[in-house]
Amino acid sequence: MKLCVTSLAISLEIYLHGCHAFLPPSNTRCAISSSLSSSPQVIDEPVAKSEEDEKSLTQRIMEKTSPAGQTGGAGGASTWDAFLRAEENWSRLKASKAFEYDKTVLTAVQNGVPPPPQFVTDDGGSGNPRCWEKLRKQAADSTPLDYDVTICGGTLGIFIAMALQLKGHNVAVLEAGKLRGREQEWNISMKELLELVELGVLTEEDIDMAVKTEFPGCRAGFKNSEVTPLDGGYFDNGVGYECFTPNVLNLGISPSVLIENVSERFKAAGGVIFEGTPLKGIVVSESLGAALDVGEEKDPITSRLVLDCMGNASPISRQQRYGKQPDGICAVVGSCAGGFDAETNLLGDIIYTNSEIQDKGPNGQLQYFWEAFPVGIGRNGMSPGTSDVKTTYMFTYMDSSEGRPSLSTLMDDYWKQLPIYQPSITDVEKDLDVKRVLFAYFPTYKDSPLKPDYSRILAVGDASGIQSPLSFGGFGALTRHLERISGAITEALESDLLHKDDLGQINAYTPNLSAAWMFQKAMSVRMGQNVNPKFVNRLLATNFDVMNNMGEKTMLPFMQDVVRIDGLAGSLARSFVADPAFMPEIVLHVGIPTLVEWLGHVSMITLYNALHNLSPALKPFVDKMENKKERYRWNRRMEAWKFGSGNDYKFD
């Protein structure tokens, strides 16, 4: 049996250049003579090719872009070598098979399966002895641990660190490389940024400095072919449907500016940042604390609580999910480039299709989606219509079956279909000034958010799987949960409730997150499944037509990955009325077990919504509870009801 840890997948949102240098081009020419000809037949005559000709289109494009601005963390790398590593990891993930390993059993090797790598251990006989020695010495000397909270992974962790430092905790951030943001803009809404201002994590000056692009909003569209503009509904025009939503992902912010500002303010508030400090392992004593191994040349760091903010590639999550195959994959390729038509570079696309489901033969069937954002307009004196720079992504949902396409194949399809999506481009290599090629694949798991296996360690952000399986995760998911997470961690620290069962209450079951899995299932095609090529476009065009007619109270939360029962129930009912004959096909596509599971989560959203409405009456009684543990758990329950029903979404 071939064994592989499934989380060897590269960290979510690794952006780079690269593609298909794996299929050797033909380098022979065949001259075929007529059977009546007396000339000799010449075959397989070698044709000399330059080294440049041997390279793939993606490699040629990537090697022309500047390697400047390389960073660690999500989306930081930007080299051809990094793409090849991502391709290798993706191939390894596809070749891996799920297997069972019971970590509660003392037997090291189980049915030929070795134990997982022990990155985290609570066994005093394992881990770095220097870590155990420091923990015991500090306890014997009654010396406080070095920090209240140590956050591993600083690109997004710095925002959590700032929130906790402002609450009076002693916080440190560990970053393997240099803590700095990537060059590629993050797209977000002003509403989400202002929530960080309310927490004190950002200032309005930070926003003004960081926002480099602003435009009115984004289009959503689902079409069987490229027709723009498009009026009417799916059954009116026979093509699809499109609509516009204002103020969603309409700001492009500079991660480098934002992270630099927050980092400086964090240090000014007493926080500590360890740059160039890779984490080697963690030892945990439930009674004493946690000690972080940062190399033989550095003293271990001790902490009451460790937060894992290392994303999908976290070695802590990898150890915990040992033997598990991802339940879904969102694969993304794209580029940031100049050369587009500036006069029409005015709006974004948040989710858009312009083709039917693609039959990739042995790689299965895929529905390709597009996302695009203008760059460099609306701020700093740059008027709309003056910038020809745009970021475009092509993404698809699938499983991690071995037959799935390589990243190279997806990149090839991206370059091939980009001129159809953006008609101002005819030859991508000649017409585009490519500044950065983007790629990533995001493994997602149903058992999310991830509850801790060890006391004193909690996964946050993408490491916990708190992001929607429909999104690329990252900054937007963090902003939504930052107030809740920082408040819950504060109460856990103040009440000394750092056992894994107590910390697990912070990453509680959220039914609306679990319900989103059915949407990903509906937008993907299983290997070997035969589906009407128009299935996804018909489904989404009908649903978005209904939701758009229901108004912004339905559309805005959904666009920002928040599922609410009012919008969900209303849109489902109206979609059934709009296209009743389609329902059997939907059931057949997703499968009855998936549908039954989904209905269970929808029922729980309804229950959580009702329980949330009782929270204002319960809160005074909870606040008066003398038992700290009971008060803590009731607060976590009320938060789960709020977030699990989507009632955390704040309407303007």
Side-chain angles (χ1 to χ4, degrees), residues 138 141-147 302:
Q138 287 181 319
D141 297 343
S142 298
T143 303
L145 299 178
D146 298 340
Y147 300 97
T302 59

Side-chain angles (χ1 to χ4, degrees), residues 74 119 141 158-159 229 247 270 278 324 329 361 379 417 422 438 457 467 500 542 558 603 623 640:
F119 193 84
D141 297 343
I158 190 64
F159 299 99
N247 303 319
K324 293 184 179 179
I329 297 288
R379 288 289 178 114
Q417 298 195 29
Q422 301 289 330
L438 318 169
I457 297 179
Q467 79 278 7
K500 63 181 180 180
T542 303
F558 186 82
S603 299
D623 290 342

Side-chain angles (χ1 to χ4, degrees), residues 213-372:
T213 301
E214 184 172 9
F215 49 94
C218 289
R219 172 180 64 164
F222 309 97
K223 309 171 184 178
N224 293 322
S225 59
E226 181 56 56
V227 179
T228 300
L230 183 66
D231 296 322
Y234 186 83
F235 298 105
D236 299 323
N237 54 47
V239 177
Y241 175 78
E242 68 179 15
C243 61
F244 172 79
T245 305
N247 303 319
V248 173
L249 300 187
N250 64 314
L251 299 181
I253 60 173
S254 167
S256 58
V257 172
L258 209 60
I259 289 173
E260 181 181 359
N261 287 2
V262 175
S263 297
E264 291 303 316
R265 204 161 54 254
F266 171 68
K267 290 187 287 187
V272 177
I273 298 175
F274 293 95
E275 294 183 295
T277 308
L279 181 62
K280 305 297 184 181
I282 305 173
V283 304
V284 178
S285 167
E286 191 174 310
S287 59
L288 302 180
L292 293 82
D293 178 5
V294 291
E296 292 301 321
E297 297 181 357
K298 297 180 181 179
D299 195 40
I301 297 170
T302 59
S303 185
R304 294 181 63 200
L305 176 66
V306 177
L307 296 184
D308 175 10
C309 198
M310 294 183 283
N312 284 326
S314 162
I316 301 174
S317 298
R318 186 164 67 235
Q319 176 179 332
Q320 188 165 341
R321 286 193 164 119
Y322 185 59
K324 293 184 179 179
Q325 195 78 355
D327 295 297
I329 297 288
C330 177
V332 189
V333 294
S335 68
C336 178
F340 295 96
D341 178 27
E343 293 184 359
T344 59
N345 190 25
L346 306 174
L347 303 173
D349 282 341
I350 191 168
I351 182 169
Y352 183 84
T353 65
N354 61 358
S355 64
E356 300 176 358
I357 292 173
Q358 306 283 305
D359 188 347
K360 306 301 294 180
N363 298 142
Q365 293 180 303
L366 302 173
Q367 176 66 64
Y368 286 145
F369 299 87
W370 293 93
E371 189 173 52

Side-chain angles (χ1 to χ4, degrees), residues 480-492:
R480 178 188 172 197
H481 292 276
L482 186 55
E483 181 179 11
R484 174 185 68 84
I485 291 173
S486 60
I489 288 172
T490 294
E491 187 174 356

